[in-house]
Amino acid sequence: MEIQRRLQRYWERFLNSGEIDARNHSWITHKMKCHEKRGSRVVRITAEGAPYGSLYTNGGEHQVDYALYVTFFIQQGDYYYIEEEQRNHRAHFVGGELLYDEELMAPKEPEVLRDALTLINEEGTLESEGERGTYDRQKAVQYANLWWNTYNPAYRHFTDDCTNFISQCLRAGGAPMWGTPNRGKGWWYNSKVWSYSWTVANAMRWYLSGAKQGVRGREVERASDLILGDIICYDFEGDGRWNHTTIVVEKDAFGEPLVNAHTSNSYHRYWDYEDSTAYTPNIQYKFFRIGE
């Protein structure tokens, strides 16, 4: 509890002054600038740290890994909403004093899965038309809001969990699974194995783009064309390898999507991810209307 109190005091000082160790928390000020650029204003920020790991080094340094929960209160004219984000951090203490704090970067998607994804195009999108259930957008969004910052024990939790989470949201909305036991075919999950399209962003993007059976997506031109329960795919480097997947859970005052996501767990985050450390000027998006 003492460590948690020290972290809380540190973050209160940082958020009040904006000067303490700002080099390691530039993502917060960057997010504020991104909001300002699109006509929004961050009127208040709160933060809380929840330690989950601890290590003492030979030099007497105490390293504490913790989940940082940040809440942004956003104003758009007369409209207000809350955006939340969870990131993993490491605090470095010496003699009980916090020396510095740093964000822990999430690992990249395993290359072994990325290289196998041609199977999705070759086998998973060429099936004849099959029955499709009705997609319940409300249930998908409810699931996304319930589990955005935690993990449903009914499913496996992956280090890179973004697409696994979106698949769960789609399933909660009634999207039908098919293709088992071929991992390169269809979209499906069981407790021991699952399709590539269930867990890998690149595979889901191509599956949604061409599926003739089960859950399917229709591409639309603009993010503003999406409605709640729809899906956005991201290629951060613009190199043809799709890295991330989110679900639309709300629209802002300007009619733009707000999304939930895992890995960097996010709630009501602005859809373009310009505030992300993964963002590059070459970013590409795919916008999918689900169930049509």
Side-chain angles (χ1 to χ4, degrees):
M1 291 300 295
E2 178 59 28
I3 290 295
Q4 192 161 0
R5 282 194 292 268
R6 288 177 183 271
L7 289 171
Q8 191 63 35
R9 288 197 298 268
Y10 167 79
W11 278 103
E12 287 174 356
R13 292 199 306 271
F14 170 71
L15 294 174
N16 288 332
S17 69
E19 297 176 355
I20 299 176
D21 206 14
R23 68 187 183 278
N24 289 321
H25 307 313
S26 59
W27 70 270
I28 293 179
T29 53
H30 180 55
K31 182 182 285 286
M32 294 174 66
K33 290 177 181 177
C34 288
H35 276 292
E36 291 171 2
K37 188 169 104 174
R38 65 187 189 90
S40 305
R41 189 166 73 93
V42 179
V43 295
R44 185 184 174 203
I45 307 174
T46 61
E48 180 180 351
Y52 59 82
S54 185
L55 173 69
Y56 285 91
T57 68
N58 291 333
E61 181 179 308
H62 183 196
Q63 297 179 357
V64 178
D65 292 347
Y66 68 99
L68 174 67
Y69 302 92
V70 184
T71 302
F72 301 87
F73 297 84
I74 314 297
Q75 180 184 10
Q76 295 176 323
D78 296 330
Y79 178 75
Y80 293 83
Y81 71 92
I82 290 176
E83 175 183 352
E84 296 183 79
E85 190 165 349
Q86 183 257 307
R87 299 201 184 194
N88 293 322
H89 276 241
R90 175 171 293 163
H92 299 257
F93 292 89
V94 174
E97 295 297 321
L98 198 153
L99 189 63
Y100 68 98
D101 184 274
E102 62 181 332
E103 183 182 0
L104 299 178
M105 296 292 103
K108 292 185 178 181
E109 181 182 299
E111 293 291 336
V112 65
L113 291 181
R114 291 207 230 173
D115 292 340
L117 300 184
T118 53
L119 291 172
I120 299 299
N121 281 335
E122 293 172 356
E123 299 183 38
T125 66
L126 299 179
E127 296 296 310
S128 60
E129 182 73 23
E131 289 188 15
R132 292 184 284 121
T134 301
Y135 180 52
D136 190 326
R137 297 173 178 280
Q138 183 178 3
K139 287 184 178 179
V141 170
Q142 286 174 342
Y143 187 96
N145 287 332
L146 177 63
W147 296 102
W148 77 269
N149 200 32
T150 187
Y151 304 97
N152 186 343
Y155 295 94
R156 294 215 180 184
H157 166 216
F158 299 87
T159 303
D160 187 354
D161 201 58
C162 68
T163 305
N164 177 46
F165 172 62
I166 299 306
S167 288
Q168 292 174 37
C169 296
L170 291 171
R171 184 59 179 160
M177 296 189 292
W178 73 280
T180 181
N182 188 338
R183 298 192 70 192
K185 184 176 183 178
W187 175 81
W188 56 273
Y189 175 95
N190 65 48
S191 59
K192 295 181 179 179
V193 69
W194 43 87
S195 66
Y196 292 125
S197 57
W198 184 280
T199 58
V200 182
N202 198 46
M204 174 169 277
R205 174 262 181 272
W206 288 109
Y207 177 75
L208 289 176
S209 187
K212 299 293 192 299
Q213 185 174 336
V215 61
R216 58 187 300 191
R218 175 175 64 86
E219 282 190 48
V220 296
E221 185 177 350
R222 294 175 297 272
S224 57
D225 294 331
L226 298 174
I227 59 178
L228 274 58
D230 285 338
I231 302 300
I232 305 178
C233 298
Y234 302 75
D235 173 3
F236 288 118
E237 298 84 10
D239 61 359
R241 299 281 192 174
W242 296 81
N243 319 104
H244 190 51
T245 321
T246 68
I247 183 170
V248 178
V249 294
E250 189 57 271
K251 289 290 196 81
D252 70 7
F254 307 130
E256 295 292 332
L258 304 176
V259 301
N260 286 11
H262 268 195
T263 303
S264 288
N265 295 351
S266 303
Y267 172 82
H268 283 192
R269 187 172 185 170
Y270 188 65
W271 68 267
D272 72 358
Y273 267 64
E274 189 176 341
D275 60 358
S276 170
T277 55
Y279 179 88
T280 76
N282 298 320
I283 192 169
Q284 298 291 319
Y285 307 96
K286 287 290 181 182
F287 309 116
F288 289 104
R289 178 69 62 84
I290 299 301
E292 297 185 2

